[in-house]
């Protein structure tokens, strides 16, 4: 194998596939980046067996070949090279020679035979979705997945495609995030994608890129293609919770409020709440104002916010963390809160559009 | 106690004194910030008994008083408040009321009686030094102090003032950094200041500030005054090593080289060296070039740099870390290296000025 390319372009490619490489693994080969030269240039692959990332780039190929290099060492070396042409040759005895300006490295490489092949996903049915939109949908859902590995299905996000609408749903037993978006394609699908996968997909997305993300779904795998990068991931097995049943159909109180104001107030209240149990903050909705209070051994806090209330007054308590998480990912200026009783879930939505619904279970107060 | 001031100004003052507060302490009161109101405004103090930081700020004082607040909680609360006037009142039962816009906190505070007083340093003899200069002198020396607490004196920097020249010296048994600078004052002094103190002094310095830093030295304490901030620190006890004896008087080889080039080369070489023992890199100086090599089980690297050599060829090896540390803090474009034999210390200096001298012990090569 012998090729040359620019240091910057090679570094860019490495940084993409390196995210797929196992950080901790008992299989040494998985610490490597697989590099294949062919008549089109370079194909680089990193995988941890759950996720695989492949990227192709142009290069001046003088001799075809395959090699697996230690991802960390190789990326450190390439990063430190001057901004010039890099010339790479596979020598005898698994030695890789890396030349750039007046620098010459010779490093030991792995034999590529043991490197696992990525699963083959036939791209006969492809969905297309704007990169910026999908990035936003990941941001508004993935944080609500469960961290608890005892219910693996909840560590993923449901992707439900029906009639050119994509519903992404995450829930962890205490809150639920639902984001709707437009997707094009000629089929329907219902799969659960690991949160980790979506975080990695998020990295390869470019919100300024006009070319859409391509998604192909099979029974076991999802393939995401953004430009010259492909990310392939296993899906989670099992049935996702019937989330539509959980969403309340009606409410008795509807509060309209500035998103930034309620976020700041809850964050301040949580400074004391987080020292106590449950991160407990209490909302008292009354006419034209909402009072947010919290207390712990350290002291107490009292916040007042002007609101527009439609319906009944209510007093209800929540884990502040769940509200903060969602308020941070809603960019709309005004949001609304919908309540029924202080024992039934609260709903948070942007005021101006219907594409996002966030549900939180209340905390039962001792005085209830 | 009752005062009001702007949220931004209070946050600024807290962030200064908070650096003096103990992160880990068995004495709860040391987790606090001492706040005193008087007719001039506020005086805030944080101390861990080794270092004390005091800052004064203007405030609208309605009633004088003293309080000690938990530094972490108070700074988090003030940081999260809106950019508006903050009104603070000490109530009964050690409750501090903090009001800002429509937010009201009540937090428990410490009784100020147990808060340790800062040592009193008479400012009858004051040195003055430009803030930017002193900041640079700290940067070029403090990294070379020892991390080894078994020889406490080497964990500090010698400040030796003679005839309006300040020599700052740090050494750890493997390398030595000496920086000279101009200081004004009518006395001579020789003290050893803990590295931690100088790092904290560095934070209160503003390189764009025209008003000089004021330094007062006593037998046991150093007082640094920058504008409205005072930092007082214990000195280290004991005799510093006679560093002048260590500095070589002559050399046989003098290499002139671009600082950035040799830094980049050594950093690349150290990618492999750090996996082996000693971070070993080898310099081969020969006529018009210097070859830097390193090898470990992972592979080997070969770097060539153009140089100007005066004197003899030499082959010598060093711990790359010691060179990298110093090359990072020398901003001059060209540096020179001076060698005598491959068993005697190497010297690194800026080419164009005499204010900085850095010495490194070589590593004995197996082939020597």
């Amino acid at each position: 194998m012998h090729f040359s390319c620019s240091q910057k372009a090679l570094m860019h490619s490495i940084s993409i596939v390196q995210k797929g490489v196992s950080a901790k693994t008992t299989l040494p080969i998985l610490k490597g980046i697989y590099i294949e030269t062919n008549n089109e240039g370079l194909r680089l692959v990193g995988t941890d067996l759950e996720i695989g990332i492949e990227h192709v780039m142009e290069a001046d190929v003088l001799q075809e070949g395959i090699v697996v290099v230690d991802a960390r060492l190789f990326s450190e070396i390439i990063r430190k090279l001057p901004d010039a042409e890099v010339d790479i040759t596979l020598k005898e005895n698994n030695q890789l020679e890396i030349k750039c300006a007046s620098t010459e490295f010779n490093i030991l490489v792995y034999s590529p035979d043991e490197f696992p092949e990525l699963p083959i996903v036939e791209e006969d049915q492809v969905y297309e979705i704007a990169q910026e939109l999908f990035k936003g949908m990941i941001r508004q859902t993935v944080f609500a997945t469960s961290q608890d590995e005892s219910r693996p299905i909840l560590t993923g996000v449901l992707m439900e495609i029906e009639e050119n609408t994509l519903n992404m749903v995450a829930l962890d037993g205490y809150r639920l995030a639902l984001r709707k978006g437009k997707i094009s394609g000629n089929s329907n699908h219902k799969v659960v994608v690991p949160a980790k996968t979506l975080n990695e997909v998020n990295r390869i997305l470019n919100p300024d890129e006009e070319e859409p993300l391509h998604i192909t779904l099979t029974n076991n795998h999802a393939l995401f293609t953004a430009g010259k990068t492909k990310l392939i991931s296993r899906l989670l097995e099992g049935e996702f919770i019937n989330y539509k049943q959980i969403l309340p159909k009606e409410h008795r109180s509807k509060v309209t409020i500035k998103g930034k104001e309620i976020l700041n107030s809850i964050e301040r209240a949580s400074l004391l709440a987080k020292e106590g149990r449950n991160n407990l903050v209490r909302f008292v909705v009354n006419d034209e104002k909402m009072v947010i209070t919290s207390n712990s051994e350290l002291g107490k806090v009292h916040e007042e916010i002007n609101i527009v209330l439609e319906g009944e007054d209510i007093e209800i308590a929540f884990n502040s963390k769940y509200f903060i998480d969602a308020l941070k990912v809603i960019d709309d200026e005004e949001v609304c809160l919908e309540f029924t009783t202080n024992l039934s879930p609260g709903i948070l939505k942007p005021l101006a559009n219907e594409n996002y619904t966030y549900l939180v279970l209340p905390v039962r107060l001792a005085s209830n």
Side-chain angles (χ1 to χ4, degrees), chain A:
Chain A
M1 183 171 80
H2 185 187
F3 67 91
S4 73
C5 60
S6 87
Q7 177 265 348
K8 277 212 160 25
L10 183 55
M11 192 59 229
H12 174 69
S13 300
I14 293 168
S15 65
I16 291 170
V17 300
Q18 199 176 6
K19 297 293 190 297
V21 175
S22 276
K24 289 173 186 170
T25 174
T26 48
L27 251 156
I29 192 83
L30 293 183
K31 291 181 188 160
I33 292 174
Y34 174 99
I35 303 176
E36 181 185 333
T37 52
N38 55 39
N39 49 14
E40 287 170 34
L42 296 188
R43 176 175 167 257
L44 295 91
V45 180
T47 181
D48 65 0
L49 299 180
E50 296 292 322
I51 295 176
I53 303 178
E54 175 190 302
H55 183 78
V56 295
M57 66 173 277
E58 287 176 20
D60 193 5
V61 176
L62 293 106
Q63 197 195 341
E64 297 193 1
I66 301 174
V67 75
V68 176
V69 293
D70 183 84
R72 194 173 60 85
L73 181 65
F74 191 62
S75 78
E76 282 184 352
I77 288 172
I78 303 300
R79 180 176 297 114
K80 292 281 186 190
L81 290 178
D83 180 6
E85 197 73 3
V86 185
D87 184 281
I88 296 184
T89 314
L90 181 62
K91 300 281 188 180
E92 286 179 355
N93 299 323
N94 287 329
Q95 291 281 335
L96 194 71
E97 180 189 88
I98 305 165
K99 282 183 172 178
C100 182
S102 53
T103 298
E104 184 182 320
F105 277 88
N106 278 276
I107 58 169
L108 255 181
V109 293
Y110 299 101
S111 154
D113 308 340
E114 295 162 42
F115 197 84
E117 292 199 29
L118 295 188
I120 291 164
V121 174
E122 296 293 343
E123 292 176 73
D124 44 2
Q125 239 178 27
V126 178
Y127 296 103
E128 292 190 359
I129 186 166
Q131 298 203 24
E132 184 179 9
L133 172 62
F134 197 62
K135 212 172 164 66
M137 294 179 79
I138 294 171
R139 174 169 169 254
Q140 291 194 315
T141 52
V142 77
F143 69 89
T145 53
S146 174
Q147 307 301 309
D148 180 359
E149 294 289 337
S150 69
R151 295 177 72 187
I153 195 79
L154 297 188
T155 64
V157 176
L158 174 69
M159 285 179 62
E160 181 183 56
I161 302 173
E162 281 173 0
E163 312 286 333
N164 291 324
T165 297
L166 167 62
N167 290 337
M168 286 177 69
V169 185
L171 63 91
D172 68 359
Y174 303 98
R175 36 84 178 269
L176 176 155
L178 161 63
R179 176 69 156 89
K180 292 173 188 289
K182 277 198 175 171
I183 193 166
S184 58
N186 298 313
S187 186
N188 296 332
H189 263 102
K190 206 167 164 180
V191 298
V192 182
V193 183
K196 179 171 181 292
T197 298
L198 292 173
N199 287 329
E200 295 304 333
V201 171
N202 189 40
R203 288 185 213 259
I204 66 167
L205 294 173
N206 177 356
D208 301 325
E209 173 61 55
E210 283 192 22
E211 197 196 330
L213 174 72
H214 293 225
I215 305 177
T216 301
L217 302 171
T218 71
N219 287 338
N220 302 312
H221 290 97
L223 170 66
F224 301 88
T225 308
K228 300 196 158 187
T229 307
K230 284 179 191 291
L231 188 150
I232 188 163
S233 164
R234 282 205 202 163
L235 296 173
L236 292 176
E237 286 174 24
E239 194 69 26
F240 202 77
I241 286 165
N242 181 354
Y243 72 92
K244 287 173 185 166
Q245 273 189 344
I246 303 172
L247 295 170
K249 304 281 177 296
E250 50 194 8
H251 57 264
R252 293 196 203 146
S253 317
K254 178 176 172 180
V255 172
T256 302
I257 197 166
K258 292 221 158 48
K260 193 78 190 149
E261 264 186 49
I262 184 172
L263 173 60
N264 289 340
S265 289
I266 298 179
E267 282 191 324
R268 283 191 292 266
S270 73
L271 291 176
L272 296 174
K274 71 183 173 190
E275 306 285 337
R277 59 197 171 97
N278 287 343
N279 283 318
L280 199 74
V281 294
R282 187 188 292 239
F283 299 169
V284 181
V285 172
N286 195 327
D287 246 4
E288 288 169 345
K289 70 181 194 203
M290 173 158 156
V291 172
I292 300 175
T293 59
S294 172
N295 57 64
S296 72
E297 315 88 80
L298 297 176
K300 59 187 182 185
V301 50
H302 178 105
E303 296 271 345
E304 276 188 31
I305 314 178
N306 293 327
I307 58 165
V308 174
L309 170 64
E310 296 167 52
E312 302 170 9
D313 292 353
I314 189 166
E315 186 174 342
I316 188 167
F318 291 99
N319 180 325
S320 61
K321 180 186 181 312
Y322 296 143
F323 265 95
I324 291 170
D325 283 352
L327 286 163
K328 280 187 173 167
V329 299
I330 298 179
D331 300 321
D332 303 63
E333 194 188 339
E334 290 193 297
V335 299
C336 60
L337 302 171
E338 295 171 355
F339 305 110
T340 309
T341 71
N342 59 13
L343 296 176
S344 53
I347 295 285
L348 170 66
K349 292 176 176 176
L351 180 69
N353 72 61
E354 287 288 314
N355 66 23
Y356 191 57
T357 305
Y358 185 78
L359 174 150
V360 196
L361 293 187
V363 178
R364 182 192 286 262
L365 289 170
S367 57
N368 287 340

